[in-house]
Amino acid sequence: MSNLKAVRGTRDLLPPETALWNRVEATARAVFARYGFGEIRTPIFEDTQLFIRGVGEETDVVSKEMYTWEDRARAQSEKAQSLTLRPENTAGVVRAYIEHKLGDAGMLQKLFYIGPQFRRERPQRGRYRQFWQIGAEVLGPVPSGAESALRDAEVLEMLATLLDELGIPRASEANGNTGWKLALNSVGSSTDRPRYIAALKAALEPVKGTMCADCQRRAETNPLRVLDCKVPEDQETIDNLPKIADFLDEASTEHFAQVRSALDACGVPYVVDPRLVRGLDYYTRTTFEFTSASGLGTQNALLGGGRYDGLSEMLGGPKAPGIGFAIGEDRLILTLQALANPESLLKKRVDIYLAPLGREQNPSVLALAKTLRNVWRPIRGTRGFSVEVGEGDFRLKKSFEFAEKVAPLIGIIGEEERAAQVIKLKQFSTGEQFSLSGAQLIEHLAKDDIALKALGEAFEGGHNSK
Ligand code: HAM
């Protein structure tokens, strides 16, 4: 066996699990489209300075976790440059916003992305060195309404809708709080935060000696990170530290109140968590995290995000307040897998498995498969059904075993069936057996299309009735 393996912290995603990834991404794309988002694809590597200036030099992500290398010049006209695999996508999106002057039209920009990110963290369940994010950003010049609390609430409501549509329940007593929970906070404006950090540092000074080694270090280097500490003995000390809410100016306090009342109006449940300050430097005002207790263990943050009203200026761009989030797609998949039998989340891979009985049947079965794969489906406006073709040399038992793994339906064609111009079928879910002509089989496979048409007509009818 080869000793070449996927690098630590990276992994291959294989079928059938990739079908679940595709379903998640298709659902996200459909939801984003309904909320008016368009897709942006930025490069996987960027100038290292982008992350130093955007995400912050003192953050764990930038100081410890980046994959950075010196890219040598290949021609005299080129300069050597420090490049970095993107550890997150917000800085790249804002860089693209500035570079393409997306704000010049005065409109709000609503952009989403799906793609791999890279952080050299200690790998464990739900934490990888290459992981996937599904994220979105809403930003624009101030007159576009980018600063409004409505934007924050709309983004959060969209996330609740997406999780609902993916089948992740909201946490409740009925499900033992295993569903999703939204924690919300405001970290204030760029002037509120330094005042708070100074107060935190001062309050930590007399007590840090009693805290864990990590907290003692953080109290010096990055006091906000003390609030993330999970060591049980430190919790009481942390609970007694100053709260950011007491340092917000009037405008930030009012903004946060507006976000909460819009969420209440939309029925999105949340808990205000004064300790939620998040690990990236660009956040201002609203910050949030959705957690899930299903399948994630200690890495229970399903997604995180917040507002970044000063990021564009930090990168040398115009004023462009914004808010966004990134979902850890790997963690979303783990949650879905823990919530349900993964088989039930995955549609069978193909619509029908065709089994020729005897090698002589192979050519005509392949011809039937070709017809099924290419037939026009007028109601959907698409072509074809997905078909897997077996092999005439297989014993019938083997064909059934193979078929059941990949399709809900098997079609058998032997000498007799070919003479009678029929296909013998068995539906695995019900055990039902029947014979159909080729045309009838197409109709049978298209029965969901017909249901779809009926649904459309019923809606139109309801719509037009006076
Ligand atoms: P973040 O909190 O660093 O925020 O990451 C967002 C999500 O990515 C996390 O909640 C987690 O689900 C997932 N994630 C992070 N690191 C890993 C990892 N090593 N392995 C697996 N999943 C991981 C951001 O990245 C911001 N750019 C979000 C944002 C967008 N804020 C505003 N706009």
Side-chain angles (χ1 to χ4, degrees), residues 6 32 38 54 63 81 105-106 173 196 213 219 259 267 288-289 304 309 324 333 337 346 401 421 424 427 447:
F32 293 157
S63 64
Q81 196 179 9
E173 272 177 26
Y196 175 59
V259 175
F288 57 86
E289 237 164 54
D309 291 344
I333 299 284
Q337 287 170 332
L346 295 170
E401 277 170 14
Q421 301 269 303
K424 208 187 212 166
Q427 192 91 45
K447 60 186 187 312

Side-chain angles (χ1 to χ4, degrees), residues 88 90 119 121 126 128 133 137 278 282-283 301-302 324-325 328:
E88 62 97 60
T90 308
R119 295 183 193 176
E121 295 196 76
Y128 310 98
Q133 285 187 338
E137 313 293 345
R278 311 223 349 104
Y282 50 62
Y283 289 114
L302 205 51
F325 63 83

